[in-house]
Every structure is written in structure tokens, then in C-alpha cells.
Amino acid sequence: MPGSAQISYMGPWPKDVGIIALELYFPSHFVDQAELEQYDGVAAGKYTVGLGQARMGFCSDREDINSLCLTVVQRLMERNGLSYDSIGRLEVGTETIIDKSKSVKTVIMQLFEDSGNTDVEGIDTTNACYGGTAALFNAVNWVESSSWDGRFALVVAGDIAVYATGSARPTGGAGAVAMLVGPNAPLAFERGLRGTHMQHAYDFYKPDLMSEYPVVDGKLSIECYLSALDRCYSVYRNKIHTQWQREGSDQRFSLEDFGFLVFHSPYCKLVQKSVARLMLNDFLNHPNPNTETGPFTGLDAFRDVKPEETYFDRDVEKAFMKASADLFERKTKTSLLISNQNGNMYTPSVYGCLASVIAEHSPSQLAGQRIGVFSYGSGFAASLYSLKVTQDHTPGSALDKLVSSLSDLGVRLDSRKKVAPAVFSDSMKLREDTHHLASYVPRGSVDDLFPGTWYLTRVDEKHRREYSRRPLDDDLPAEPELVCLGAAAQHIPSPVKKMPRIPATTTAPEASS
């Protein structure tokens, strides 16, 4: 029964708590950034080279934050053969607010109704692009706490990133990520290794509650991002040094101790600059760096620079981007698949980068690696933490299943429909004109959505939203609507070939490390 747990769950601190399964959703439409450059009348390469972006996914008026999260949750549950009564906590991180009171989490609970499971803790968390990470931390903390009842936690991060016409518009995107959290995970949080920095700034914010568009101070936003990265890395490095000293080691931590590095990615070029920024930190923190040979060759002239004075120093940036080029290629470049092809997803952005690393490597290449994760949200809040990948990469292992579940990312990206910039612009105008309208019936095509996608069918006169789902098989009728009117909504799962179910017990072989 929901809420029940075997006595064995109430024993010692759960081991290797982290991400067991991960699912990613992005829209079925995209606009080509090179074509958008021509349409916007800007210099060739401004978006593709200057920002490092190739394509940008976007939603029609058929999709909102609720539908995105419904889609990614049901997809994760179906693909992993999970029962809804195996979930004890559901956290949502988003900054795409369509209601000032009702949470996205409560909408997702409609998927749980057939199971009878209403004993599900958690709620929405909002702070720009950091909300998904805060939700993930909450889920991990719950599993490691006295409140845990032996069931899994489910974390959802989703957003629709749209900007008014202008220089910021090509940094948009959309998508959602769902992560299953529990013990014996293939991606385990390293306990105590988390550096956080919180500070007040108006770099990016959304004061107009009737608009989807933010107010952005681009230069300040970059400064806040890089300063937060400096602070978080310093705290993380001090904490891991303390751990190593307790273990009797005087080893000095550097970027080489990360197998992979993933970052929140507003645009890909900022991620490349972030790797260079961390190398600058390593260089300045080293008591006696070798500037004759090795990665710091030729950097002696920068020995006395002050980090807080270098955020827009082109000489420093150029020198350390060159010095860190190999590091970027080996540890970060593969993380930018989703960011480059779909754009900025806000809260799911850094987890889309994590999914890209997993999709682009084999289980044996990932096994035993430490993955550094930097999450940033404007306003501002940031954390740098690390995940340790299990050593077990045998066929059928938890890591093998995780890699297999994300191996189709490239195929899914290539299956999207490209639309002309003018069509994209019209779609943005439609969203702008109909945002928060009551008595509204969406006009976008349902046929172009991916199979299994939830979509908005109408908004009634009281702003209550109704949804249907495209069938997984085109020969099947659409699923009955989920009607958010207070009464129980009927939900009939689509026929789907189930993977072996991950049971609620945390000692299952597929969840072991």
C-alpha cells in the first residue's frame, strides 16, 4: 500500500543515493539558427559561432509547462516499467509560471489517480534556472532522512524559454527532464561535496506576471554566472581537500579529478568559457604552477590577476580558452548535444547536458567517473556538486540500463520538424497574444507532436486547463482528457511494451551499484 515500507528500509543510512533513471523531453519543432540569423538581419555566425547554437526547439500554443511535465513523467514511468505507487515524493523545479497558486506538481498527480497513491510529498520550487537542482537536492535529502519510507523520489525540471524579439531571442528553447532518485543509484551524489553561492542581483527576472518574457541585463548576467562559478568551485575544492586530509591524503584537487564537467548552458559558448574560467581558478590557486610545460604553458603573465577583475578581460579569456581547449574537448564538449540542438531549457538545461554525456558514452567509459555539475539560476543561486558513476557496467546493470534509455537522443533530435523563421516568429506572437487567456482553444497542430505527448485542448472561462495525450501508436485513439476541474480525471494508460518493472524495493539488482 502507498506509504508502507518494509522494516529493512528503516535501517542504516541509504547507500549511494542519486539518479537511477533519467528521461528527457523536447519539442517536435525547431528553427535553424543560421536561417534565423538571415531572418533577423544579423551578421552570419552571430548565433551559430558567437553563441555556439545550431538549432532551437520551441513549443506551439498546444504545449505549456503542465503538458511538458505530464509527458516526461509518463514517459519515464512507462519506459522503466514503474508503478505509480512506488513513488513517495514528487518535486518540480520550474520558472514557467501559469498560476500563482496551483503547482505543476498537483497537475501531474492526475497520472497517479488510477494507482490510488495520494501519499506523495513535494511541491514546486522556483528560482530561475536553479529550481530543478533545488528540487533534486530536496529529493536526495528526503531519501537520506528519517522521513523516507522506502519508496523512490521523482524530480521533474521543465521550462519554456522564450524572449521578446531582439538579441536574446536565439537563446531560447524548451524541454523537461524527469529523474528517478533512490539508493544504490548508478549516478550517486558524493556526500558532503557541494559548493553553493547565493546572492542578490537583478540580472534576469520576470516582474510582469502577464508576460512570458523576462527582463535581462546580459552583461550583468554573465558576470553573475562566472562569479558564482568561481565561488562554488572554491567551496567545493576546499571541501574535497578537507575530506582527503581526513583520509590521510595531501593530494591537490584540480579539474583533472573530474571525469566529466557539465554546466547550466544558456548558450554553448558560455560553457566553453566556463571551462576556461575553472582552469584560471586552478592556475591562480596553485602554489607553484609550471608555466614552461603542461596545461599552464605560457600563462606566467597572468599570475597576479584578480579574478573579480577578469570577467570581461579579453586577454585572460583568450589565453585560458586556448589553454583549456583540450580539457573542454575531453570532459565537456559531448555534454552540449542537447544545448546545441535544442537551446536553453532553463531548469532542465544542466540535466540535458548530463543526459547528453550519458548518451554519448558507453557504460564502460562512464564507469567509476566523477561528474562535476554546475547549476546556476539568475537572481541568483548556484551550486557545484559531483556525482560518482558506479563501477558496475555489466550488461543489464543499472548503469547499462540508464545509458540504453538515453541512446536514442540523437535519433529523436533528428526526427524533429524544421520550420521557417517566419513560422517560428508567428508562433511566438501567438503565444504572446494568448498568454493567460481564458476561454481559449489552442490552434497548433496536434499531428506534429511526438507520439505520447500530452497537449493542451482548451482553457475554460475560469482559466482551468484540459489536456489530452497523443497515442504512442498512431493506430490508437487519443487518450481521454485530463480535466483540471477539481473532479477526478480519468486516465487510461496506453498499451506499451513494458520494460522489467523497477520494484519499490531498493535492493533490486537493477538499482545496485
Side-chain angles (χ1 to χ4, degrees):
M1 291 292 293
S4 64
Q6 297 177 13
I7 298 299
S8 61
Y9 294 132
M10 305 308 177
W13 197 320
K15 181 183 178 184
D16 294 333
V17 177
I19 300 169
I20 296 172
L22 190 155
E23 185 57 55
L24 176 66
Y25 171 77
F26 43 79
S28 58
H29 297 82
F30 73 89
V31 62
D32 183 87
Q33 292 277 18
E35 293 180 5
L36 194 59
E37 289 171 345
Q38 294 180 344
Y39 180 80
D40 289 345
V42 301
K46 184 176 178 64
Y47 306 157
T48 51
V49 179
L51 298 177
Q53 300 301 117
R55 297 173 174 179
M56 178 169 54
F58 69 95
C59 297
S60 73
D61 64 339
R62 280 290 182 183
E63 295 186 274
D64 62 12
I65 185 58
N66 292 337
S67 69
L68 263 61
C69 292
L70 286 165
T71 297
V72 79
V73 167
Q74 187 157 15
R75 184 176 174 88
L76 180 137
M77 299 298 284
E78 288 177 344
R79 294 189 74 179
N80 290 279
L82 285 160
S83 62
Y84 284 93
D85 60 5
S86 69
I87 306 299
R89 189 176 185 94
L90 171 59
E91 294 266 353
V92 176
T94 184
E95 64 171 275
T96 305
I97 308 301
I98 56 175
D99 190 286
K100 292 184 288 184
S101 176
K102 184 172 174 58
S103 68
V104 175
K105 185 264 181 70
T106 56
V107 176
I108 299 174
M109 286 305 300
Q110 292 173 105
L111 298 176
F112 287 70
E113 290 183 0
D114 281 353
S115 71
N117 179 19
T118 58
D119 178 23
V120 182
E121 295 185 9
I123 204 97
D124 291 9
T125 302
T126 300
N127 191 96
C129 302
Y130 187 79
T133 293
L136 181 58
F137 287 174
N138 289 344
V140 170
N141 293 344
W142 177 72
V143 174
E144 292 186 338
S145 77
S146 61
S147 299
W148 186 53
D149 63 5
R151 292 180 293 167
F152 295 116
L154 187 58
V155 176
V156 187
D159 275 304
I160 298 172
V162 290
Y163 295 84
T165 303
S167 60
R169 175 158 280 187
T171 63
V177 167
M179 294 173 280
L180 188 72
V181 174
N184 305 314
L187 304 181
F189 274 72
E190 291 199 283
R191 194 173 300 161
L193 297 183
R194 186 185 301 176
T196 291
H197 179 70
M198 302 268 175
Q199 189 175 330
H200 167 63
Y202 280 115
D203 60 324
F204 169 110
Y205 52 108
K206 295 179 178 177
D208 184 354
L209 299 181
M210 294 303 293
S211 171
E212 288 190 289
Y213 300 144
V215 176
V216 185
D217 183 331
K219 186 174 182 180
L220 177 60
S221 185
I222 293 172
E223 181 178 336
C224 290
Y225 182 104
L226 295 177
S227 67
L229 180 61
D230 288 346
R231 300 288 186 85
C232 290
Y233 186 48
S234 177
V235 173
Y236 179 92
R237 190 174 53 220
N238 290 339
K239 287 184 177 181
I240 199 167
H241 281 160
T242 300
Q243 280 195 9
W244 286 352
Q245 287 168 3
R246 284 200 301 262
E247 296 166 359
S249 171
D250 59 357
Q251 179 183 349
R252 174 170 295 278
F253 184 86
S254 76
L255 295 178
E256 288 298 339
D257 291 297
F258 288 122
F260 300 98
L261 272 165
V262 301
F263 300 80
H264 167 59
S265 179
Y267 52 92
C268 293
K269 186 55 70 71
L270 183 58
V271 171
Q272 191 171 357
K273 292 179 180 180
S274 296
V275 175
R277 188 77 194 175
L278 292 183
M279 177 170 274
L280 171 65
N281 276 264
D282 272 1
F283 176 69
L284 296 177
N285 187 66
H286 200 291
N288 188 28
N290 182 352
T291 57
E292 300 297 327
T293 60
F296 299 143
T297 300
L299 298 177
D300 192 58
F302 304 101
R303 188 66 184 140
D304 297 322
V305 301
K306 294 178 173 59
E308 64 273 14
E309 297 176 357
T310 61
Y311 300 127
F312 302 103
D313 188 318
R314 290 298 182 92
D315 292 335
V316 171
E317 180 182 286
K318 183 178 179 180
F320 282 87
M321 284 187 71
K322 180 180 179 181
S324 63
D326 175 66
L327 189 76
F328 172 76
E329 288 285 333
R330 290 185 290 115
K331 299 181 183 293
T332 301
K333 187 175 182 179
T334 56
S335 73
L336 296 178
L337 172 66
I338 295 297
S339 181
N340 173 264
Q341 293 290 310
N342 184 55
N344 185 9
M345 298 186 292
Y346 288 166
T347 54
S349 170
V350 68
Y351 300 104
C353 291
L354 177 62
S356 297
V357 167
I358 297 168
E360 296 282 274
H361 293 88
S362 67
S364 61
Q365 290 172 322
L366 294 167
Q369 298 288 351
R370 170 181 285 121
I371 303 176
V373 181
F374 176 68
S375 178
Y376 175 83
S378 293
F380 58 95
S383 290
L384 174 64
Y385 63 93
S386 55
L387 300 168
K388 198 63 180 291
V389 184
T390 178
Q391 292 283 1
D392 184 7
H393 59 278
T394 56
S397 64
L399 178 59
D400 181 63
K401 290 182 178 180
L402 178 61
V403 172
S404 178
S405 71
L406 295 170
S407 62
D408 65 344
L409 279 188
V411 173
R412 287 164 55 192
L413 286 166
D414 291 341
S415 69
R416 295 174 300 167
K417 177 181 178 181
K418 184 176 79 169
V419 303
V423 176
F424 162 71
S425 181
D426 289 345
S427 181
M428 292 299 99
K429 186 65 168 63
L430 178 61
R431 291 189 66 90
E432 181 180 333
D433 292 343
T434 59
H435 186 61
H436 274 308
L437 279 185
S439 302
Y440 177 67
V441 178
R443 307 173 200 172
S445 171
V446 173
D447 295 337
D448 292 334
L449 299 175
F450 286 130
T453 299
W454 284 99
Y455 59 90
L456 182 67
T457 57
R458 77 180 183 114
V459 183
D460 77 3
E461 70 281 358
K462 292 186 176 181
H463 291 272
R464 296 175 296 189
R465 293 173 177 244
E466 303 174 14
Y467 303 87
S468 287
R469 189 191 190 203
R470 266 209 71 188
L472 288 169
D473 187 329
D474 287 335
D475 294 332
L476 297 172
E479 293 195 18
E481 291 184 344
L482 290 181
V483 186
C484 306
L485 303 180
Q490 289 189 336
H491 169 65
I492 303 173
S494 293
V496 61
K497 183 178 180 181
K498 299 281 188 179
M499 294 172 60
R501 176 174 175 251
I502 300 177
T505 172
T506 57
T507 56
E510 57 266 41
S512 63
S513 61

